[in-house]
Amino acid sequence: ADAKLQPGEIWVQESITDSIFEGSIELEGDQVVPTIAGHAWITADSTLLLDSQDPCCWGIESAVSAPRDCGTTRKFQSSSTPR
């Protein structure tokens, strides 16, 4: 969006744990097709409980954004397996 990464140019991101990810983009007509490569490991398995009575269940909204309704209480569970 900011034209900082040119098509075919590789962007390398290294974390404080020395893991490295490489990203690039290609253009297909007026669409941007991103690619990312690297290795990651599961470090947590978590469950989020969102309460419809909590006015901040989706975070604190800024004054210029429309508030979101949480609806009913929902439970989100994250469980991934290595690929």
Side-chain angles (χ1 to χ4, degrees):
D2 293 332
K4 293 181 180 178
L5 187 64
Q6 299 301 313
E9 180 182 357
I10 295 176
W11 169 63
V12 178
Q13 179 66 48
E14 184 174 352
S15 77
I16 61 171
T17 62
D18 293 331
S19 60
I20 297 175
F21 290 86
E22 294 182 351
S24 64
I25 61 164
E26 294 297 334
L27 299 177
E28 290 184 5
D30 62 347
Q31 295 183 341
V32 176
V33 180
T35 300
I36 188 167
H39 290 89
W41 289 264
I42 298 171
T43 57
D45 185 21
S46 61
T47 300
L48 299 176
L49 299 174
L50 302 178
D51 187 341
S52 63
Q53 302 301 308
D54 181 356
C56 299
C57 69
W58 289 107
I60 299 171
E61 302 288 333
S62 70
V64 295
S65 62
R68 288 188 269 182
D69 179 17
C70 287
T72 59
T73 301
R74 288 175 271 182
K75 179 179 178 180
F76 295 93
Q77 188 163 5
S78 168
S79 181
S80 302
T81 56
R83 295 179 192 212

